[in-house]
Amino acid sequence: MDPETEFLSSKRQTGNEWELFKENVRPLKRGRNVDLLNHALKAHTNDQLKKSLIENRRRLIEAIDEYQGDDPLQPWLDCIKWVQEAFPPGGDFSGLVLIYEQCVRAFWHSDRYKDDLRYLKVWLEYAEHCSDAEVIYSFLDANDIGKTHSAYYIAYALHMESKSKMKAANDILNLGISSNAQPIEKLRDAYKKFLARSMRRPNATEEELKEDDLPVRSFGTVLARGESQRQAIKTFELGRNKLKQDQVHRTPLSIYNDTNMDVMRGHHVEKSKMPSTGSNSWHTLGGRAERNKENNAMPAKWTSHKIPQRPVPRIVGAVASAQIEVFVDEECEEKPKVHDEKDRTSSLQLRELDSRNIKKETELLRENPLRNFPSNSLPR
C-alpha cells in the first residue's frame, strides 16, 4: 500500500499546507508521505522549521561518513530519499543535485555497484536534473555501468527520442534487446510503444534525410492513386528544376560589349564619326611621361636619415617591479583533491556549503554534470 492510500484509509486529520503549496511540490513515482509532506511545506512560513530541516540534512550527510556497514551505498540512498521528501519543490537550495553527483562519483569506479539497479537509478535521476543528459548516458556506456538493466536503454532511448533522434533511439533499444537486458519483457514492450509513436510521426526522419530535396514518406503508409500521381509529378519537377539550376551554374559569365557607346562622353555615336586617334580617347594610352607623372620624386638613401629620440636617464640598481597577481575565478580554481580509500570525503563538501554556494554549485552541475570527474573516466 502506497503512503497516500494508507493515509486516506487511516482517516487522520492534518493541516492544509498541501492545499496552499501543492503547485510547488515535485511529483515522485513512489508517492509521498502526507505527514512528512505537510511538515516540510510548513518551512515556507516557519524559519525555525526550515533550520531544523537543514540540520537534519547535515546529520544524514554525517551518517554517510560514519557508516561502517557492508553496503556503503545504502546511507546515500537514505539521504536522497529524505531530501526528496523534506524538500518537496526540489529546487537548487535543497542540495539534491549535489548529493546525486557526489553519490555517483563515489562509486563510479567500483565493480560492485556497476550492475546494481539502485546505483543505476541514482544516475538516471541525476540525468533528469541536467540540461543535457546525453553526456551522462555516454559516460555510463563508456564505463559499463547499468548496461545489464533495461531501465538504462529505455531512459537513454526516451532522451534521444525527445531530441528527435529517432534512428539513434531505435538503435539503442535494439542494442538492449540483443544484449538481453533484464527484464527483457519490459524492454520489448517499450520498443513496441516506440515503434507506435514513430509511426505517428511522419516528419521524424526529415532531419536525418534533409540532404535530399525529394519528399519524405513515412514507413508503412499507403498512398491513394491520385496522391501517388501528384507525388510522382512533384518529384519529376523537383529533379528537373535541380538539373536546370546545375546547368545555369556551369555556364560562363558573358560580358556585354556595346560597340556604339562612347565610353568617355557617355552617349551613342556613329562608327563613322568616332575619332581614330586622340589623346582624350581611351584607345590612346599616352606617352611614358604622362603615365609616370605621379612618380617624379627621386629615390634617396634611407639609411642616411635618423629618427630623433628623447634621452632617458638610466637608474643604477633598478628595483624589480612587484609581481602582478592574476585573478582566478573561484569556480575555475584548481583545488588539491584528497582521495580517501573509500572516496567518502566528497560528502564533506556539501556539509560546508551554505545555501548561496549550494545554488551556485547546482547551476554549474546542471550545465556540466561531469565537471568533477577525472578526465580519464570521460567518454572519448
Side-chain angles (χ1 to χ4, degrees):
M1 185 181 296
D2 60 276
E4 294 182 4
T5 306
E6 182 181 359
F7 173 78
L8 294 175
S9 60
S10 64
K11 298 181 180 180
R12 286 178 294 173
Q13 298 293 330
T14 182
N16 59 350
E17 289 80 11
W18 162 252
E19 296 295 336
L20 296 177
F21 302 103
K22 59 184 178 182
E23 68 276 2
N24 297 326
V25 177
R26 185 183 182 90
L28 296 177
K29 294 181 180 179
R30 65 174 183 269
R32 289 185 178 273
N33 188 321
V34 180
D35 291 337
L36 184 58
L37 177 60
N38 285 302
H39 181 73
L41 290 175
K42 289 181 181 178
H44 288 276
T45 57
N46 192 334
D47 294 337
Q48 189 65 27
L49 182 58
K50 186 176 182 180
K51 293 180 180 179
S52 67
L53 291 176
I54 297 176
E55 182 66 21
N56 290 336
R57 183 183 64 185
R58 186 185 63 82
R59 293 196 192 99
L60 287 172
I61 295 173
E62 291 178 352
I64 296 174
D65 300 326
E66 299 171 358
Y67 183 77
Q68 300 294 332
D70 299 331
D71 189 8
L73 178 62
Q74 188 58 43
W76 284 99
L77 300 178
D78 296 338
C79 181
I80 290 173
K81 183 178 179 180
W82 184 88
V83 171
Q84 289 175 343
E85 297 282 356
F87 295 88
D92 297 342
F93 293 100
S94 65
L96 184 60
V97 176
L98 272 71
I99 298 176
Y100 281 139
E101 191 269 341
Q102 293 173 10
C103 176
V104 298
R105 183 155 49 93
F107 304 103
W108 71 270
H109 57 279
S110 175
D111 295 334
R112 174 183 178 182
Y113 291 109
K114 283 191 175 182
D115 293 330
D116 196 317
L117 183 59
R118 302 174 302 164
Y119 182 58
L120 175 62
K121 288 183 177 180
V122 177
W123 271 107
L124 299 181
E125 291 178 6
Y126 180 40
E128 293 177 357
H129 290 77
C130 300
S131 301
D132 187 7
E134 188 172 354
V135 293
I136 289 183
Y137 294 114
S138 301
F139 179 88
L140 298 178
D141 183 26
N143 294 275
D144 295 329
I145 299 176
K147 297 178 69 175
T148 59
H149 300 283
S150 60
Y152 163 74
Y153 298 96
I154 294 174
Y156 195 179
L158 287 175
H159 176 72
M160 301 304 289
E161 183 182 357
S162 65
K163 300 174 69 174
S164 299
K165 297 182 179 180
M166 307 299 291
K167 185 179 182 301
N170 183 77
D171 295 341
I172 291 169
L173 291 174
N174 283 326
L175 178 61
I177 294 175
S178 62
S179 302
N180 197 24
Q182 298 298 322
I184 191 64
E185 294 81 8
K186 184 177 180 181
L187 186 58
R188 288 173 178 169
D189 183 62
Y191 185 55
K192 291 179 182 178
K193 294 179 180 178
F194 167 75
L195 291 178
R197 291 193 300 270
S198 62
M199 292 290 292
R200 295 193 297 266
R201 294 180 56 176
N203 298 327
T205 58
E206 288 185 0
E207 295 183 359
E208 301 174 1
L209 303 175
K210 60 184 178 181
E211 298 90 3
D212 302 333
D213 294 331
L214 302 181
V216 179
R217 177 179 166 189
S218 61
F219 176 76
T221 57
V222 179
L223 299 178
R225 182 175 180 182
E227 186 178 359
S228 61
Q229 293 178 356
R230 289 194 299 270
Q231 185 174 2
I233 295 173
K234 185 176 180 181
T235 303
F236 175 76
E237 291 178 354
L238 288 173
R240 187 174 59 181
N241 293 335
K242 186 176 182 180
L243 181 61
K244 288 183 178 180
Q245 292 177 1
D246 295 339
Q247 293 177 354
V248 170
H249 290 307
R250 293 193 189 99
T251 56
L253 181 62
S254 60
I255 302 176
Y256 177 74
N257 185 12
D258 190 359
T259 57
N260 297 329
M261 176 67 70
D262 188 350
V263 180
M264 302 301 295
R265 298 180 179 178
H267 57 81
H268 291 274
V269 295
E270 297 180 1
K271 289 185 178 181
S272 58
K273 296 181 180 180
M274 290 179 63
S276 57
T277 57
S279 59
N280 295 331
S281 175
W282 63 274
H283 295 285
T284 304
L285 300 180
R288 182 182 296 273
E290 294 181 0
R291 294 200 301 268
N292 298 336
K293 59 184 178 181
E294 67 275 9
N295 299 327
N296 296 329
M298 297 298 296
K301 189 176 181 181
W302 63 272
T303 54
S304 60
H305 298 277
K306 291 185 178 181
I307 301 176
Q309 299 181 358
R310 185 175 58 183
V312 179
R314 296 184 178 182
I315 302 175
V316 180
V319 181
S321 59
Q323 185 178 2
I324 300 176
E325 182 179 358
V326 180
F327 174 77
V328 180
D329 201 349
E330 295 179 358
E331 61 191 54
C332 300
E333 185 178 4
E334 296 183 357
K335 298 180 180 179
K337 298 182 179 179
V338 181
H339 295 280
D340 191 84
E341 294 180 357
K342 297 183 180 180
D343 201 8
R344 297 183 184 177
T345 56
S346 60
S347 61
L348 297 175
Q349 300 175 4
L350 181 60
R351 193 193 314 172
E352 298 172 356
L353 294 175
D354 56 9
S355 59
R356 182 178 57 185
N357 293 331
I358 287 177
K359 185 177 184 299
K360 181 179 180 181
E361 185 67 20
T362 300
E363 293 175 352
L364 294 175
L365 289 175
R366 289 184 190 275
E367 297 298 328
N368 185 9
L370 304 178
R371 62 188 301 269
N372 295 324
F373 280 74
S375 57
N376 58 354
S377 65
L378 302 179
R380 300 184 183 273

